[in-house]
Amino acid sequence: MTPVIILRPEPGAGETAARAERLGLAVCLCPLFEARAVSWDAPAAAQFDALLLTSAQAARLAGPQLATYHGLPAYAVGDATARALAAQGFEQVVSGDQDGNAIAARIAADGHRRVLHLGGRTVAPIAKGPLSIQRMVIYEMVGRANADLSKWLQPGAVLMIHSPRAGQKVADLVPLNQRDQIHIVAISPAALSACGDGWASALAPDRPDDDRMLALAARLCE
């Protein structure tokens, strides 16, 4: 059976694998990175009108300081990030189903201007518009030394790319002459672009959503 290779870090990798198995897909887990918390000092909540998270890892790894911002309107990119914020005690979270640019526009439309963005050391650029965004690094993605992608790269395999950084790593690991029988399903256009060219197919859903990614993968595995 055509394997679907999940490259995202845990705990997301296991969550995606469970969804894939419910669809009857053959799953290979090969996380390329692991998330590690970074020490940070929480700025005063009074400096901000809104809180922004673009990754569920930020909610999971922020630590007790995250509670400092329970009183701020919270915005999240993706349902997984919104759920992670809810699990950390945020009662009202606005979830955007596109990207950081779209949620920034929503924050501005809601009348906020001073935004605290908690995220990883590497994040996609956000078009700020009228917003003043202060970014705090609270976690970093570290490459896994024992991640061996080569053993899963059989003809027809589908690589699930959940971030631009994962796309760049895959582009580095898979030579051009091995790509023409491998499929890419990426979570966003930015992640797709990072994978480079030469793949058997390269697709991204209309929204950055795990279920939509898996629907595309399922079609490739038919």
Side-chain angles (χ1 to χ4, degrees):
M1 184 180 292
T2 301
V4 174
I5 306 170
I6 299 170
L7 306 175
R8 70 188 305 194
E10 295 290 4
E15 295 167 357
T16 299
R19 294 188 185 99
E21 289 168 352
R22 288 195 292 269
L23 293 173
L25 301 177
V27 175
C28 301
L29 280 176
C30 184
L32 298 178
F33 304 97
E34 60 181 345
R36 295 181 184 173
V38 171
S39 177
W40 65 290
D41 295 321
Q47 300 178 40
F48 307 101
D49 303 322
L51 177 69
L52 168 63
L53 272 70
T54 50
S55 166
Q57 295 284 12
R60 298 184 183 111
L61 297 175
Q65 302 99 303
L66 187 59
T68 303
Y69 308 108
H70 278 167
L72 292 177
Y75 292 80
V77 172
D79 290 339
T81 307
R83 290 193 297 270
L85 276 168
Q88 296 298 326
F90 288 83
E91 296 182 356
Q92 293 187 328
V93 181
V94 177
S95 175
D97 56 9
Q98 296 183 42
D99 59 13
N101 294 334
I103 200 70
R106 172 64 187 273
I107 293 171
D110 287 347
H112 307 301
R113 291 295 180 267
R114 300 171 302 158
V115 180
L116 176 62
H117 177 197
L118 304 182
R121 195 173 297 284
T122 303
V123 296
I126 295 176
K128 298 178 181 180
L131 302 178
S132 172
I133 301 178
Q134 179 175 333
R135 193 169 76 85
M136 295 291 299
V137 175
I138 60 171
Y139 75 93
E140 60 186 356
M141 304 305 297
V142 180
R144 296 179 67 244
N146 60 346
D148 183 6
L149 181 58
S150 61
K151 63 183 178 180
W152 305 118
L153 294 179
Q154 66 185 60
V158 180
L159 298 177
M160 303 287 283
I161 309 297
H162 280 80
S163 70
R165 186 172 181 185
Q168 182 60 63
K169 185 69 172 179
V170 164
D172 293 341
L173 291 174
V174 185
L176 279 169
N177 61 4
Q178 295 182 18
R179 296 181 185 181
D180 61 350
Q181 297 186 73
I182 306 297
H183 301 276
I184 294 288
V185 174
I187 195 166
S188 68
L192 191 65
S193 177
C195 297
D197 301 319
W199 305 98
S201 69
L203 304 170
D206 57 347
R207 296 177 182 177
D209 178 89
D210 213 30
D211 288 330
R212 286 178 170 83
M213 290 179 70
L214 287 169
L216 291 175
R219 291 175 203 161
L220 293 169
C221 294
E222 290 177 352

